[in-house]
Structures are given as C-alpha cells and as structure tokens.
Amino acid sequence: MSLDHRLSPEHEALRRTVQEFAHDVVAPKIGDFYERHEFPYEIVREMGRMGLFGLPFPEEYGGMGGDYLALGLALEELARVDSSVAITLEAGVSLGAMPIFRFGTEEQRQEWLPKLCSGQMLGAFGLTEPECGSDAGGTRTTARLDEATDEWVINGTKCFITNSGTDITGLVTVTAVTGREEDGKPRISSIIVPSGTPGFTVAAPYSKVGWNASDTRELSFSDVRVPAANLLGEEGRGYAQFLRILDEGRIAISALATGLAQGCVDESVSYAKAREAFGKPIGANQAIQFKLADMEMRAHTARIAWRDAASRLLHGEPFKKEAALAKLYSSEIAVTNAREATQIHGGYGFMNEYPVARMWRDSKILEIGEGTSEVQRMLIARELGL
C-alpha cells in the first residue's frame, strides 16, 4: 500500500475551510465559553451548517459523501485551536451517528441520520460504567425484553458520556446485557434510547479539568422502556459492534490529538518570536529552538500515523494495530507538547487567557478516553501475536 498521504484537492480545500473557521470563528469566542463551562451552541450550529457532522456519511442520509480522512482533517484543524469543539464533533460523528450508520436498519438510518448529519441533533454512545472503566466486557447495565409489550426494559448507569445532556441531544446508544451464553458470559447488545424517555435521567455536567466547553455527564436508567425495534444490529453483538466503533474512533482521537500538538507548536512559535528577554526574542535561544523542533517533529510524525490508519480503513485493509499505534503515540506527544508549550510561555503559560493553558488542561484526557494508553499497548502486543 502506498504511504503517500498528500491530500487530494478536495481534501485540501476542506482542510483550509475548517482551518479558516477555527481561526476566524472558534478562536475569538471559545475562551469565554471554556471559562464559563458553557456549551457553545452557536459554534456547533455553524459547524452543522458547514456539513461537518455529516462528513463521512452518504448524501442519501443527509451526509456530505466524504470519508474518515475528511473527518480527521476537520478534527485536527479544530483541535489546533480548541479541543472542546473538536471532541463535540468527534463524539457526535464517531460515537453518536456512526453506530447507526454501521449497524442500524434502513429505517433507523432514515429516522436518525439526517438530523445527526445536519448537526440539528447530537447523538451519544453510552458505553463506560462507573465500576467497569476499561473492562467494557464487565457491563452491568441490563436490558430484558418484555414480550407482552415488545419493549426493552433497561436498568443501569453510564458515566463520562460526551454530548449526552445538551439541549440538542436526541439519543444515546446504550450497551446492555441482554442475556447469558451457555458458558455464563454476558450477551451484550446495543439499544437506541431517545432523549426524554421516561426513567432516563441525565445528571448535571461534571466538573472537569479540561474540555470545559464540551458536555460530559452521568446517565441512569430506571425501568426505561423503548420499542424492541430500537435494538441496534443483532442481539448479543453489541460488544463486537462497539469494538469496531472504538477502532475507528481511535483514528479520530489521534487526529484530534495531533491537532492539539500542532496547536502547541503554533502558539509557541508565535510567542517565541514576540517575547523578548535579555534584549532579544526568546526564539533566538537554541534551547527554545530545539524544544520547538522536537515539538514539530512529534506533531508531524503523529499526523503521518493517523493518516496511515485512516488510509488503511478507507482501502478496506486491516487497521486495528495502526489505529492503536496512532492513538497511543499522538495522545502521549500531545501531553508532551502541551507541557513544553507551557514551559516556553513561562508564567503566561499558567494563565487561562493563553490558549496553551487550555491545551495543557485538555491534553491529559487524550491518554485515557477511547482506550487508555495501557489498553493501546495491550492491543498492539496482541496484534504482534503476543
């Protein structure tokens, strides 16, 4: 397979459009939303009008007819400026809409995807639970089929769910145990739960270290009833479904992490040229130059990694290992670049008015969400046959 990741004219045009939007629309406003811990509805609506939420989906469902590379390019450019906006897009597409596109019936696609692709509605993916974390196979949320009413009855709790409690959230796809295999292992299925369903409770937003302009909440389900037709894909195949979704999502998170790492370079280069100490710009000091050279090297390498994984996905080739490699590397170098950018900025890097302070706070979760660094290493080792 060719490793030529030069962009087509269409992909480059998209990248430039999102880059302009990020700098002209997101950058001037997002700091205030971040400090108020407020969801940026106006910005999200504009992203919807641009078609960003429909990038990788066919036009027949209201999408833009693009691909996963297009989504990654948009995420990287947004995250160069702000990760809260980027993760809202990533979760809305990769975790909210993609499960319905990949595994839904034609009726489910027609019902939900046009609204999700337009950005008029956000979807969420209810996987993580308070006592399970990385052990997604330990799901405790249950769903039993009430044959008398032909409804699923769901009980349980989910935590750390992005996009789950906004005013425009329309659904959460929930993983739940729907039975047991002969060997006692749980049969996990995925079920669509529309917002506002009786018994479905959305908690107040978490108080978070970062991603403060994104929506993250705990969800609880108490005898929540939804039609049997809300089953997503085959009964008992939910575990395999979300593993596929997470594999793809790691490419998206890697693109986002690469954007944050590159944003740290952007901000630090500008600062190093303007900030003077001892009669000259600090960028004239070799110590600063070497830091910036290493930061650029990391961001460039991370970009190659996520684009390689995306290319394999688009060509129908195995990509699990490459997605894990990209996610692991890009998330760890995002943390490193954020730390170095803060150091270059000195005391100003500790002030929230500077974007690098926000990037520092936002970076750590990238080593945790959608599979911790430890889980990525497990997956890579497994793909090596160990």
Side-chain angles (χ1 to χ4, degrees), residues 142-146 149 151-155 177 191 222-226:
T142 63
R144 64 175 179 84
L145 186 61
D146 185 341
T149 60
E151 294 175 319
W152 291 105
V153 183
I154 305 170
N155 286 280
V177 177
I191 301 172
S222 179
D223 289 335
V224 172
R225 289 178 171 268
V226 298

Side-chain angles (χ1 to χ4, degrees), residues 212-232:
N212 286 333
S214 74
D215 180 79
T216 318
R217 306 187 189 226
E218 182 175 277
L219 311 177
S220 62
F221 304 86
S222 179
D223 289 335
V224 172
R225 289 178 171 268
V226 298
N230 282 26
L231 178 70
L232 187 64

Side-chain angles (χ1 to χ4, degrees), residues 86-157:
I87 195 59
T88 298
L89 176 62
E90 191 279 333
V93 175
S94 298
L95 302 180
M98 192 60 73
I100 294 174
F101 175 66
R102 292 283 185 220
F103 309 112
T105 63
E106 186 60 26
E107 291 76 14
Q108 289 169 338
R109 292 175 179 175
Q110 293 289 350
E111 178 179 1
W112 297 108
L113 285 180
K115 289 174 281 190
L116 294 170
C117 288
S118 70
Q120 298 173 10
M121 173 186 290
L122 291 176
F125 191 58
L127 171 62
T128 307
E129 298 190 0
E131 297 182 14
C132 295
S134 296
D135 181 17
T139 297
R140 298 186 180 184
T141 296
T142 63
R144 64 175 179 84
L145 186 61
D146 185 341
E147 296 182 357
T149 60
D150 202 28
E151 294 175 319
W152 291 105
V153 183
I154 305 170
N155 286 280
T157 304

Side-chain angles (χ1 to χ4, degrees), residues 328-352:
L328 174 62
Y329 180 76
S330 61
S331 62
E332 293 195 342
I333 67 100
V335 174
T336 300
N337 274 19
R339 184 182 66 247
E340 294 286 48
T342 303
Q343 191 72 17
I344 290 170
H345 279 70
Y348 291 108
F350 205 62
M351 301 296 111
N352 284 327

Side-chain angles (χ1 to χ4, degrees), residues 14-23 50 52 74 77-78:
L14 169 68
R15 189 196 67 78
R16 287 185 177 274
T17 297
V18 180
Q19 182 184 55
E20 292 174 4
F21 171 76
H23 283 275
M50 292 172 64
L52 299 188
E77 292 302 328
L78 289 172

Side-chain angles (χ1 to χ4, degrees), residues 76 79-80 83 253-266 268 291-306 324-342 344 356 359-368 373 376-377:
E76 182 178 336
R80 285 178 75 164
S83 291
I253 288 293
S254 180
L256 190 158
T258 301
L260 187 150
Q262 189 66 59
C264 289
V265 177
D266 299 341
S268 297
K291 278 185 183 292
L292 286 165
D294 286 345
M295 290 166 65
E296 177 71 6
M297 173 188 67
R298 296 184 197 106
H300 179 76
T301 306
R303 183 173 300 110
I304 293 173
W306 83 253
L325 287 166
K327 199 274 183 183
L328 174 62
Y329 180 76
S330 61
S331 62
E332 293 195 342
I333 67 100
V335 174
T336 300
N337 274 19
R339 184 182 66 247
E340 294 286 48
T342 303
I344 290 170
V356 294
M359 292 172 179
W360 188 36
R361 293 163 66 180
D362 290 341
S363 64
K364 181 58 189 175
I365 187 60
L366 297 171
E367 295 182 312
I368 299 171
S373 293
Q376 303 313 310
R377 288 183 167 91

